[in-house]
Amino acid sequence: MFHKAIRDGLIDPARSVQIGNDAPHPQAALEWINTIERPEVHAAITNEVFYPNADAAARKFMRPESQSSLQASSKSRRGLRGNSAAGSP
């Protein structure tokens, strides 16, 4: 069933976290997932590596320079997509 969900595009393995059936410590894995998904953790990661996240609740925990850098990066990516869609190099 899981492989069918991936094949049908319902789950993107690169953007999801799973706990294997034979995981030696499934409760610890679940606690890690719950920790990494907190907005303040998303913000800390973004503040450190300037990698954007989709968590709107994380914005209030982000440093101003992280937010402005990500906004500029987002505008640049939108512009590149627009140019390539129009056939420009």
Side-chain angles (χ1 to χ4, degrees):
M1 181 73 171
F2 180 71
H3 296 288
K4 182 180 181 325
I6 292 173
R7 186 189 69 221
D8 293 346
L10 302 174
I11 298 173
D12 180 358
R15 297 177 187 263
S16 62
V17 181
Q18 299 90 30
I19 301 171
N21 290 337
D22 59 348
H25 304 287
Q27 188 58 40
L30 184 60
E31 290 175 21
W32 180 84
I33 291 169
N34 287 335
T35 298
I36 200 77
E37 288 298 321
R38 292 184 0 230
E40 53 268 36
V41 175
H42 283 169
I45 293 168
T46 298
N47 286 335
E48 186 65 29
V49 298
F50 293 100
Y51 188 83
N53 68 69
D55 188 350
R59 291 188 186 124
K60 68 181 177 183
F61 299 105
M62 290 170 52
R63 293 190 306 248
E65 60 270 21
S66 296
Q67 290 186 16
S68 50
S69 172
L70 293 176
Q71 289 169 353
S73 174
S74 176
K75 287 178 185 175
S76 172
R77 284 192 307 275
R78 280 195 306 263
L80 289 174
R81 280 194 302 261
N83 289 341
S84 63
S88 300

